[in-house]
Structures are given as C-alpha cells and as structure tokens.
C-alpha cells in the first residue's frame, strides 16, 4: 500500500515540478533575451515590472488552488453538485479580477511604473511591459484556475504538458519578437502574455476528450464560501505576492544603496531564485490533490505520509541548489551580463551565494503551508505565509540593510526563511498534539 502511495506521489510531484520549472521560464527567458538585447536598463525595467506579474500569478494560484482544493474534498465526500458550483464560481471570479487588472493596465501603467521605482529612460520601458502583461491578466488567471482543476481531476500529466508547452512557446516567441522583429520590451511582454493562451488550448483537451469531472452549472457558491475557498489558496497567493512585495521593497532599498546597477544585479539573483522556488511550488502543488483527497475521505495518516515525502524531497533540492550556486555562481551570472559590467557581476555573485542559503529552509516552509491549507487549516497556513512573505522579510531587509548595506539585503531572505522554519515546525507539532488528543478521547 505504501509503495502505491509513494508511486502516485512521485507521479504527481514530478509532473508539477517539470510544469512549474517550465512556467518559471516565462520570466527567465525574458531576463536572458532582454539582458542580451537591451542591457542593464532593460534588465532594470524588467525587474521593476516583474513584481506585478508575481501579483497576477499569485492571484490566479489563490483562486485556482483554493477552489480546486475544495473541489477535491467535495468530490471525495460525494458532493458532486457543490464541486461543480465551486468550479463555476472560480472561473467567474477569475474573469472578474482579470477585467479589473486590464483596466488598470490601460489607464494606470505609467503611474504604476513610477510607483515601482522607474525613473528617467527606464519609465517608458517599464510602462510598456506592465501595460501588455496586465492586458493579458484574464488569460493568466484562467490558466491557473484550469491548471489546478485539471491537476485535481487526476490529470497531472496534462497540466504539466500545458505549462511546458506555454513556456516553450514563450521562449521561441521571445527570440522572434525581440531579435528578428525588434519589438523590444513590448515583444518580451507579448511573448509572455501569449504563453497562457497556448496552455489553455492544451488544457481544453481534458474537456474535448470528455475526461473531466468538473462542469459549469447555473448555481454559484455564496460569496462567503468563495472567500473560504480563496483562503485555502492563501498560502500559494502569499508565496507569490511575497515575491512581488519583496521585489518592490528590495528594488527601492537597492536603488538607494547601489543605483540601477544594483537593481540589475538583484534582477539576476531573483530571477534565478524564481526557478528554484518553482521546484518547491511544484512539490507543494503536486502533493495537494492527494492530501486533500485523503483528508476528505478521513485517511489522515496517508495525508501525513504524503507531507513527509514532500518535506524530505524539499530538503534534498534545497541542499542541491546551495551547492550549485556556490560552485557555479560565476558562469550563472555571466549568462545575463552581456555588457560585461564587472561591478554588477561581483555584486550578483556575492548575492547568489548569500541569498541561496535560504533554500535550505524555504522548501519546508512552502510545503508545510500548502499541507495545512490542503487539510483546511487555513489560519495556520496563513500565519506561515504572511510571516515569510511580508512581515519577516520586510523587517529583516530594513534592519539588515541599515547595518550591513548591500550584504544585509542579501542576508534578509535566508534569515527570514530560517526563522519561518521554526514557526512551521511549531504549527505541525501543535496539529499532531491535537490529533493525538482527539484519538485518546
């Protein structure tokens, strides 16, 4: 029995890791091509604008994963009608939020660029990227919703294919739009925005082949129930939005300390970090359908076993990433340093080695927050996510940057993740203690 669970776990997780790595290549491809074509100014513009992409992606994950978690629990309890109501409400909410973001992009992109820290010649480049990405918001949100439901509908391989196909298309279009067609920042954003459209086309095969167990219906869940669904996805949202918040704050701190060159160096570090984080996000999203299914059917020990597998796998990847950055920091930075800026290269190499030590802990934190949400403990999941995503990271960044300047900025991430892992362990220990008390009673 345990071997069967382990096999299913690795099937879900491997598919989602590959898919999330592919998804993270949206931005990594932009980073490489923009750095090569437009140099440090383009890299700075991208790093300022990418905070908004993190917000859009996080919003989609919150709606998608939260609603799909509820869908999976309802299905395992035989509540088919309620499961379909949840799916329908999630799609409508995604469209509504996307419409608001489109309007924001059309009328407020330039002002938003200035708020994010763009100045001088950086402003028009950042504005173009922001406006284009925001106009594709409905596609990003719906893609995240359908990815989550297809994954929870026992089709993790199709979800992976959708994500990877979109990402590969993005890389090809990035090259075509930026180099042969010379569309600059607009071309980079257009390629990124087209990727979820391709992914949605792939995911539609689940419906065309009539393999889907979720359907549209006329009845919607109440606003209160939809908020509850979103709360189950709050950890995924905060994991992503924290990247955006941290980007904004760190960009402003680094602009004051080192100027545009410092922001470009941070852009290299943080974009490589996004790929690493995507692995842990893939693990957490891969385990979620199984955890929710076992939890919904009362098999709590099996759900706990899945969490243990995910934790061990996260620690393994964390150690691997640290070893890679300590051994290959120089060639990794060189890929994005087409202009050969020595000061930026040295800054980015130091940053990579310090920043990536946080990956010894980050996987455990992401997996724990996701597990707690999957078993309907949204409050504890929120506590972990809000601390690592906003409260902890911002406090560490402000204090350490004032004490150690740029080195303090790099230290803020590993210090936050190390502190959060204590909170994660306490949350899981309290949950285990309460579970034992219920059994004894």
């Amino acid at each position: 029995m345990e071997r069967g669970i382990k096999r299913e776990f690795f099937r879900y997780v491997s598919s989602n890791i590959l898919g999330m790595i592919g998804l993270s290549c949206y931005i990594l491809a932009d980073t490489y091509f923009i750095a090569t074509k437009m140099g440090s100014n383009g890299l700075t513009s991208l790093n300022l604008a990418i905070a908004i992409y993190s917000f859009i992606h996080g919003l989609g994950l919150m709606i998608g994963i939260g609603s799909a978690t509820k869908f999976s629990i309802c299905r395992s309890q035989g509540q088919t009608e309620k499961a379909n109501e949840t799916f329908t409400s999630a799609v409508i909410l995604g469209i509504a939020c996307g419409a608001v973001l489109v309007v924001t992009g059309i009328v407020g992109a330039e002002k938003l660029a200035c708020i994010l820290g763009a100045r001088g010649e950086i402003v028009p480049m950042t504005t173009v990227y922001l406006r284009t990405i925001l106009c594709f918001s409905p596609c990003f949100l719906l893609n995240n919703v359908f990815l989550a439901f297809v994954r929870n509908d026992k089709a993790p391989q199709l979800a992976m294919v959708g994500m990877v196909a979109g990402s590969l298309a993005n890389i090809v279009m990035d090259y075509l739009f930026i180099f042969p067609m010379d569309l600059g920042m607009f071309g980079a954003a257009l390629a990124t925005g087209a990727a979820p459209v391709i992914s949605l086309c792939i995911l539609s095969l689940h419906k065309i082949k009539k393999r889907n167990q979720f359907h549209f219906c006329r009845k919607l869940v109440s606003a209160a129930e939809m908020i509850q669904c979103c709360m189950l996805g709050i950890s995924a949202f905060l994991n992503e939005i924290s990247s955006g918040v941290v980007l904004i704050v760190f960009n402003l701190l680094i602009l004051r300390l080192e100027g545009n060159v410092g922001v470009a160096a941070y852009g290299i570090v943080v974009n490589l970090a996004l790929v690493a984080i995507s692995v842990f996000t893939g693990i957490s999203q891969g385990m979620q359908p199984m955890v929710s299914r076992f939890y919904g059917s009362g098999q709590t020990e099996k759900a706990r076993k899945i969490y243990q597998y995910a934790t061990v796998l996260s620690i393994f990847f964390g150690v691997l990433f640290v070893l890679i950055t300590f051994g290959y920091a120089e060639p990794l930075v060189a890929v994005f340093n087409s202009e050969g800026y020595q000061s930026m290269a040295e800054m980015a190499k130091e940053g990579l080695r310090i920043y990536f030590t946080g990956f010894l802990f980050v996987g455990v934190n992401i997996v724990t927050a996701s597990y707690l949400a999957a078993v309907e403990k949204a409050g504890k999941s929120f506590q972990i996510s809000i601390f690592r995503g906003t409260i902890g990271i911002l406090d560490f960044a402000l204090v350490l940057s004032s004490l150690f300047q740029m080195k303090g900025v790099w230290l803020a991430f590993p210090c936050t993740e190390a502190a959060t892992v204590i909170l994660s362990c306490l949350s899981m220990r309290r949950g285990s203690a309460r579970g034992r008390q219920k059994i004894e009673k």
Side-chain angles (χ1 to χ4, degrees):
M1 181 65 73
E2 185 173 331
R3 183 177 296 177
I5 294 173
K6 190 178 292 185
R7 187 183 301 114
E8 186 180 5
F9 167 77
F10 281 107
R11 182 169 67 89
Y12 270 88
V13 167
S14 60
S15 297
N16 279 280
I17 289 175
L18 290 173
M20 288 306 301
I21 289 175
L23 201 60
S24 70
C25 288
Y26 280 165
I27 306 307
L28 200 60
D30 280 355
T31 303
Y32 174 73
F33 289 122
I34 288 172
T36 303
K37 180 72 173 180
M38 287 163 270
S40 60
N41 282 347
L43 197 54
T44 301
S45 297
L46 175 66
N47 201 44
L48 293 173
I50 211 65
I52 300 304
Y53 172 81
S54 294
F55 174 79
I56 297 169
H57 188 50
L59 186 61
L61 288 176
M62 179 181 72
I63 298 170
I65 291 177
S67 301
T69 298
K70 193 68 177 178
F71 163 83
S72 186
I73 293 172
C74 289
R75 289 283 306 178
S76 66
Q77 295 174 346
Q79 302 178 49
T80 305
E81 185 178 350
K82 177 67 73 174
N84 289 331
E85 291 169 11
T86 301
F87 166 68
T88 306
S89 299
V91 172
I92 291 173
L93 182 59
I95 294 171
C97 291
V100 172
L101 291 171
V102 169
V103 173
T104 302
I106 293 171
V107 303
E110 185 172 352
K111 185 175 290 185
L112 187 57
C114 294
I115 291 171
L116 293 172
R119 299 291 182 270
E121 61 186 351
I122 304 295
V123 174
M125 298 172 75
T126 309
T127 300
V128 167
Y129 195 93
L130 282 172
R131 182 173 288 122
T132 308
I133 287 293
L134 285 166
C135 285
F136 277 96
S137 293
C139 301
F140 284 115
L141 296 179
L142 289 178
N143 186 44
N144 277 313
V145 169
F146 279 91
L147 280 170
F149 274 88
V150 168
R151 188 184 302 119
N152 276 265
D153 202 24
K154 299 183 179 180
Q157 286 87 357
L158 182 62
M160 177 200 70
V161 171
M163 288 189 283
V164 172
S167 297
L168 290 176
N170 172 55
I171 294 170
V172 173
M173 288 187 288
D174 255 328
Y175 172 77
L176 293 174
F177 294 161
I178 293 175
F179 289 97
M181 299 178 69
D182 200 22
L183 295 178
M185 293 298 288
F186 171 71
L190 182 62
T192 300
V197 178
I198 293 170
S199 177
L200 283 167
C201 291
I202 299 293
L203 295 175
S204 67
L205 294 174
H206 195 58
K207 170 68 173 176
I208 293 171
K209 293 182 177 180
K210 297 182 179 180
R211 294 175 179 173
N212 60 305
Q213 299 298 313
F214 53 85
H215 307 276
F216 287 104
C217 63
R218 293 185 178 182
K219 187 178 178 182
L220 304 177
V221 300
S222 67
E225 287 178 303
M226 199 62 229
I227 291 172
Q228 184 186 28
C229 288
C230 288
M231 285 302 295
L232 295 177
I234 196 68
S235 66
F237 172 74
L238 289 174
N239 286 335
E240 287 298 322
I241 196 62
S242 66
S243 300
V245 172
V246 170
L247 271 172
I248 294 169
V249 174
F250 278 36
N251 283 334
L252 295 175
L253 285 173
I254 294 168
L255 279 170
R256 178 175 58 82
L257 293 171
E258 299 289 347
N260 285 345
V261 174
V263 173
Y266 178 60
I268 294 172
V269 173
V270 79
N271 279 291
L272 289 171
L274 284 174
V275 177
I277 286 176
S278 72
V279 172
F280 302 118
T281 304
I283 295 171
S284 67
Q285 290 184 13
M287 75 167 189
Q288 177 268 313
M290 294 183 69
V291 171
S292 295
R293 188 173 77 245
F294 288 139
Y295 169 77
S297 59
Q299 302 177 76
T300 54
E301 281 303 314
K302 289 183 179 179
R304 185 85 177 194
K305 181 67 71 174
I306 297 299
Y307 168 73
Q308 291 171 0
Y309 293 154
T311 302
V312 171
L313 191 59
S314 296
I315 293 171
F316 167 78
F317 276 111
V319 173
L320 179 64
F321 291 142
V322 172
L323 293 175
I324 290 172
T325 50
F326 270 82
Y328 299 96
E330 188 168 343
L332 285 170
V333 170
V335 172
F336 304 98
N337 188 21
S338 61
E339 296 174 309
Y341 277 132
Q342 189 61 32
S343 59
M344 183 181 76
E346 291 301 321
M347 206 180 303
K349 282 189 289 184
E350 179 187 47
L352 266 179
R353 289 174 177 141
I354 297 174
Y355 195 93
F356 266 67
T357 57
F359 284 96
L360 294 172
F361 315 105
V362 68
V364 176
N365 295 328
I366 290 176
V367 164
T368 301
S370 180
Y371 171 81
L372 291 169
V375 296
E376 296 189 294
K377 294 179 180 177
K380 288 182 178 180
S381 176
F382 178 79
Q383 289 172 9
I384 293 170
S385 299
I386 196 69
F387 180 81
R388 69 175 293 267
T390 52
I391 297 172
I393 189 71
L394 296 183
D395 286 344
F396 276 115
L398 293 172
V399 172
L400 293 175
S401 65
S402 65
L403 293 174
F404 305 110
Q405 303 301 301
M406 196 65 189
K407 187 170 288 186
V409 174
W410 301 131
L411 282 167
F413 177 73
C415 288
T416 302
E417 296 298 339
T420 307
V421 84
I422 298 172
L423 179 61
S424 296
C425 291
L426 289 174
S427 296
M428 290 302 297
R429 184 171 295 178
R430 288 178 195 142
S432 298
R434 288 175 184 171
R436 286 194 296 271
Q437 287 173 4
K438 287 181 180 179
I439 291 171
E440 290 172 0
K441 289 179 181 181

